[in-house]
Amino acid sequence: MNKKELIKAVAEQAGLNQADAAKAIDALTAVIGNTLAQGSEVQLTGFGTFGTLKRAERLGRNPATGEMLIIPASRVPKFKAGKNLKDAVANS
């Protein structure tokens, strides 16, 4: 499912027009992104938790040249599925 299909499905499910559904999805993704950027997490009970993970500095290799290089430490987004979501996927 891509974003356009998601907007259509949300509009139908919530009884909204597609423009309002698109605004709601854009607002949701912006709020989640901003919250994660601030270092906090977003918990949606029954669905899951969006958070961040710290990745340590590590040694990598340039695939084109084979040269070893240091990949700097970074923070990356993560998602942990909630029980209801896990159950829905397992029982489908």
Side-chain angles (χ1 to χ4, degrees):
M1 175 179 281
N2 61 31
K3 186 175 179 181
K4 188 174 184 178
E5 294 167 338
L6 178 63
I7 290 169
K8 185 176 180 181
V10 168
E12 289 174 6
Q13 183 82 22
L16 301 171
N17 63 43
Q18 288 190 22
D20 288 341
K23 287 179 188 176
I25 290 170
D26 289 341
L28 176 67
T29 56
V31 168
I32 291 172
N34 291 336
T35 302
L36 295 180
Q38 294 172 3
S40 297
E41 62 180 30
V42 177
Q43 294 178 335
L44 301 174
T45 304
F47 183 74
T49 302
F50 296 90
T52 58
L53 246 172
K54 291 181 184 176
R55 279 201 179 155
E57 185 178 88
R58 62 195 190 278
L59 196 58
R61 184 183 304 271
N62 181 333
T65 64
E67 177 186 0
M68 297 301 287
L69 55 107
I70 295 174
I71 301 170
S74 63
R75 215 169 40 140
V76 295
K78 70 172 185 167
F79 176 75
K80 182 177 178 190
K83 183 177 181 344
N84 292 352
L85 179 58
K86 286 180 186 178
D87 291 346
V89 171
N91 296 327
S92 60

